[in-house]
Amino acid sequence: DAKTTQPTSMDCAEGRAANLPCNHSTISGNEYVYWYRQIHSQGPQYIIHGLKNNETNEMASLIITEDRKSSTLILPHATLRDTAVYYCIVRVRGGSWGKLQFGAGTQVVVTP
Amino acid sequence: GAVVSQHPSWVICKSGTSVKIECRSLDFQATTMFWYRQFPKQSLMLMATSNEGSKATYEQGVEKDKFLINHASLTLSTLTVTSAHPEDSSFYICSARQDTEAFFGQGTRLTVV
C-alpha cells in the first residue's frame, strides 16, 4: 500500500469547515483513498473513501486531485465531537486485502 | 454499517496472569478478523490476522505463544494475552472484514499491575 503523509495536528473553530490534507504521491491506479477517525479511547470509525472522483456523505467530503497524489477531507461544519485523530489510508479494495496500515494521522482539535 | 463488539471494554489484571479479550461481529459473519495494539500517543499497529477455522497469521515481532488467537466461529475471535506483564498494558482493538470493508470494535484497555 502507498504511504501517506499528513500534518501532525490541526486546530479548527467550531462551526467552521475543517480541511484535512493528505499526500499520497506513490498511489497506484487501483488504490483507493480511505479516511478513518479515532476519538480518544475508541476504535477507529470509517468516514469516507474514493478512487478518482470527489465523494460526499453525511459525515464529510473527499476531494482527490486529478493526479491522485493528494486529497483533502472536508468536515463542513466542525463540532466539538469531531475532535479526534484522522487517518488517511491508501489501499487496494477487494481481493484478499485486510490489513490496514495506520500512520500517525492528524490530531484535530475543535475549539468553541 | 456493521457492528463489531469487544468485551471487556477495560480490564486490570495482575502480572503473570492471562487475559482473554473477545471480538464479535454482531450482525454479519466474518471469516477474517484483525487484532491491533495501540500504545499511548501512538498509532494502531497490526498484531495478527485471525482466520476462521485456521491458524492466525502474526506480524513480525509479535509472539504467537504470548498472544493466542482463536477464531472458532464466524462471529467470534478471541485474543488471550498469556502471562501478562506491565509492558503488555495497551489498548487492544479488533476489526472484522465484511466484503471489502473493515469495521472496528470499541477497543479494550488492558492494564497489567
Side-chain angles (χ1 to χ4, degrees), chain B residues 6-79:
Chain B
Q6 276 183 248
H7 178 81
S9 297
W10 59 271
V11 57
I12 301 173
C13 72
K14 290 185 177 180
S15 187
T17 62
S18 296
V19 174
K20 179 184 286 188
I21 303 170
E22 295 184 347
C23 179
R24 294 181 184 273
S25 55
L26 297 187
D27 50 0
F28 67 101
Q29 293 182 331
T31 57
T32 305
M33 293 185 176
F34 305 91
W35 288 96
Y36 295 81
R37 180 167 55 181
Q38 185 176 33
F39 291 108
K41 298 187 184 300
Q42 295 186 23
S43 189
L44 286 80
M45 295 297 295
L46 180 68
M47 298 176 66
T49 301
S50 171
N51 299 298
E52 188 270 334
S54 64
K55 291 183 178 180
T57 303
Y58 292 81
E59 295 299 301
Q60 190 173 9
V62 178
E63 300 175 59
K64 62 180 181 181
D65 294 331
K66 180 170 183 62
F67 299 100
L68 302 179
I69 292 174
N70 183 280
H71 194 155
S73 78
L74 289 172
T75 59
L76 173 65
S77 175
T78 61
L79 169 68

Side-chain angles (χ1 to χ4, degrees), chain A residues 31-111:
Chain A
E31 288 182 313
Y32 288 71
V33 179
Y34 275 74
W35 284 84
Y36 290 83
R37 73 179 183 183
Q38 185 181 23
I39 296 171
H40 184 62
S41 294
Q42 295 184 24
Q45 175 190 21
Y46 164 82
I47 300 174
I48 198 168
H49 75 276
L51 181 63
K52 296 180 182 178
N53 300 323
N54 298 336
E55 302 288 343
T56 296
N57 62 20
E58 64 278 5
M59 290 183 67
S61 294
L62 174 61
I63 308 298
I64 302 175
T65 58
E66 191 170 345
D67 63 7
R68 304 210 320 124
K69 293 185 177 182
S70 65
S71 61
T72 301
L73 178 74
I74 301 173
L75 308 178
H77 305 285
T79 70
L80 299 180
R81 287 177 293 181
D82 291 324
T83 292
V85 178
Y86 287 75
Y87 297 99
C88 170
I89 297 173
V90 174
R91 64 170 180 87
V92 176
R93 191 165 186 236
S96 61
W97 79 273
K99 306 173 183 180
L100 291 181
Q101 302 292 345
F102 287 83
T106 297
Q107 172 68 64
V108 173
V109 176
V110 181
T111 56

